[in-house]
Amino acid sequence: MNSLSNLPAVLVLEDGRIFRGRSYGAVGTSLGEAVFTTGMTGYQETLTDPSYAHQIVVQTFPHVGNTGVNSEDPESTRMWPAGYVVRDAARRPSNWRSDRTLDEDLVTYGIVGIRNVDTRALTRHLRDAGAMKSGIFSGEAAAQSDAELIAAVKAQPAMAGRNISAEVSVAAAYTVEPADHGFSGAPLHTVAAVDLGMKSMTPHRLAERGLRVHVLPYNATLEEIKATGATGVFFSNGPGDPAAATAQVELVREVLDAGMPYFGICFGNQILGRALGFETYKLRFGHRGINQPVMDKSTGRVEITSQNHGFAVDAPLEGTPTAPIARFGRVEVSHFSLNDHVVEGLSCLDIPAFSVQYHPEAASGPHDAAYLFDRFVSAMDSAADKDSK
């Protein structure tokens, strides 16, 4: 028996392209930036990734919902996308770990979705035209005229220039202990992790390596970081335009001036780039999925990575130039995308700071980049040895 709603639904793009289908999840109206993700698995982790806030997510893999959802795999306390677009929604899940259907969770968290869409045609269009304003309208909302729907889509704010960290960050600081994640013995170091939309697996990966992690809200100060006793600072992934995150950029500069080891991922990479004086820019359609190939320049090794970003750092791929803000010394691009040569990592050569544009915690995704957490531990070891001399 098919329990899915059969109400009409329509996906409208700001350039006037319209895709019609049937409602999926909550019924109503949802506005956001249309983006596509190429993962064949991990839809539950995708939907609970705060980096997807204010975005309408298109799944390129056609079959979605087959394994249902469970209470163990979410990467945050809720689902974040503005809307969800799929081709074939499973009528019922079939997996021993499934607790409920994906449709049920979409309704619970108010995610307005649409199914029976030609997602291949939609993805090809977004690749050519770029990520853009969009809207999903289902039920009574879908009965409006095309002109009315397009006008509503165009009236929403663009993603460029938006600072969204406050909406997705943790409300209050909390601590993750290494003993709770399989590490025996005293903590090796203490890390202050600034939450800009962090996934739950990230502090887990840090803690299992012996790091006590103090997760701090997006508006943390250097004084609050130092009050934790941190010997290293981590900046997480998150949504929005890094050019609008002026307070976080200034905080990273203070961290670098203090000589504290720094590790940033995704949004944290863009924040480091801007802190060093580089510019950032919006990608045409971004990198989203768990199969993004990246070259590690130091080893010549290719990593298959999990990514979710629509902005990137504008830095030279070759050489070791002095950072635009010269006091931070030399910097090099450590990783780059094999698809389009976008900057995928930065490494400072004169101060203990590095970052990558992807998700080494890989929830979901391959674990090719897990070594970066070990690199962060080594950076804190080196800083501690230097201080003891």
Side-chain angles (χ1 to χ4, degrees):
M1 179 178 178
N2 189 346
S3 62
L4 297 174
S5 166
N6 204 37
L7 292 173
V10 59
L11 169 68
V12 179
L13 305 181
E14 67 174 308
D15 65 358
R17 189 75 183 267
I18 294 176
F19 295 81
R20 301 188 186 279
R22 294 292 168 179
S23 67
Y24 188 40
V27 175
T29 297
S30 179
L31 301 173
E33 181 184 51
V35 301
F36 62 87
T37 180
T38 57
M40 295 175 65
T41 61
Y43 57 78
Q44 185 174 353
E45 292 91 336
T46 293
L47 286 163
T48 54
D49 178 354
S51 294
Y52 280 113
H54 294 286
Q55 295 177 329
I56 290 179
V57 177
V58 180
Q59 290 278 178
T60 61
F61 190 70
H63 306 295
V64 177
N66 308 55
T67 57
V69 295
N70 59 59
S71 300
E72 299 173 8
D73 293 345
E75 283 299 309
S76 67
T77 58
R78 54 165 286 189
M79 290 182 172
W80 288 98
Y84 199 44
V85 184
V86 304
R87 181 164 184 165
D88 296 325
R91 290 176 298 169
R92 63 177 67 87
S94 177
N95 187 274
W96 66 274
R97 299 178 68 232
S98 176
D99 296 325
R100 54 200 176 274
T101 68
L102 175 56
D103 182 60
E104 288 173 326
D105 267 21
L106 292 172
V107 171
T108 297
Y109 294 105
I111 308 299
V112 177
I114 182 172
R115 60 188 176 89
N116 293 1
V117 169
D118 185 347
T119 51
R120 186 171 186 269
L122 174 56
T123 299
R124 287 171 64 90
H125 183 69
L126 293 176
R127 277 183 58 88
D128 291 339
M132 66 181 75
K133 296 177 184 178
S134 64
I136 299 175
F137 306 85
S138 60
E140 293 182 2
Q144 300 175 75
S145 70
D146 291 354
E148 290 174 315
L149 297 176
I150 293 170
V153 166
K154 288 184 175 181
Q156 68 180 292
M159 184 63 70
R162 298 184 72 176
N163 188 346
I164 310 175
S165 297
E167 299 179 33
V168 298
S169 180
V170 63
Y174 65 92
T175 304
V176 179
E177 294 289 349
D180 295 332
H181 294 280
F183 186 84
S184 59
L188 301 179
H189 296 284
T190 298
V191 174
V194 178
D195 181 358
L196 304 175
M198 185 162 54
K199 296 163 70 177
S200 63
M201 186 59 72
T202 302
H204 180 148
R205 293 288 182 236
L206 292 166
E208 68 187 10
R209 286 166 169 77
L211 305 178
R212 174 177 286 142
V213 185
H214 292 276
V215 179
L216 305 179
Y218 75 102
N219 56 354
T221 65
L222 183 63
E223 291 71 25
E224 290 169 336
I225 288 174
K226 289 182 174 180
T228 68
T231 52
V233 177
F234 175 87
F235 267 51
S236 80
N237 60 291
D241 186 345
T246 53
Q248 288 73 35
V249 169
E250 186 53 41
L251 175 59
V252 170
R253 287 177 180 151
E254 293 176 354
V255 167
L256 300 182
D257 284 332
M260 304 179 75
Y262 173 91
F263 177 30
I265 67 171
C266 199
F267 202 55
N269 175 70
Q270 298 160 18
I271 296 296
L272 176 61
R274 295 194 68 87
L276 296 171
F278 293 110
E279 295 296 323
T280 51
Y281 63 99
K282 196 173 190 303
L283 296 166
R284 174 178 285 274
F285 50 81
H287 300 163
R288 296 175 180 88
I290 59 177
N291 49 5
Q292 303 287 330
V294 167
M295 172 67 75
D296 182 340
K297 290 172 60 179
S298 66
T299 63
R301 207 170 150 243
V302 176
E303 302 169 14
I304 304 302
T305 66
S306 176
Q307 299 195 19
N308 174 13
H309 65 105
F311 294 84
V313 177
D314 186 7
L317 292 183
E318 301 298 333
T320 55
T322 298
I325 298 181
R327 72 177 186 271
F328 297 129
R330 297 166 299 150
V331 61
E332 67 177 356
V333 170
S334 58
H335 301 72
F336 65 90
S337 169
L338 289 174
N339 284 335
D340 54 16
H341 285 196
V342 164
V343 172
E344 295 283 359
L346 298 170
S347 180
C348 295
L349 304 182
D350 299 315
I351 56 175
F354 71 99
S355 59
V356 292
Q357 188 55 66
Y358 44 94
H359 291 245
E361 86 290 337
S364 60
H367 295 171
D368 296 24
Y371 70 92
L372 291 163
F373 293 110
D374 299 314
R375 182 178 293 180
F376 188 36
V377 175
S378 295
M380 288 183 283
D381 288 341
S382 297
D385 290 343
K386 183 178 179 181
D387 290 342
S388 65
K389 293 179 180 178

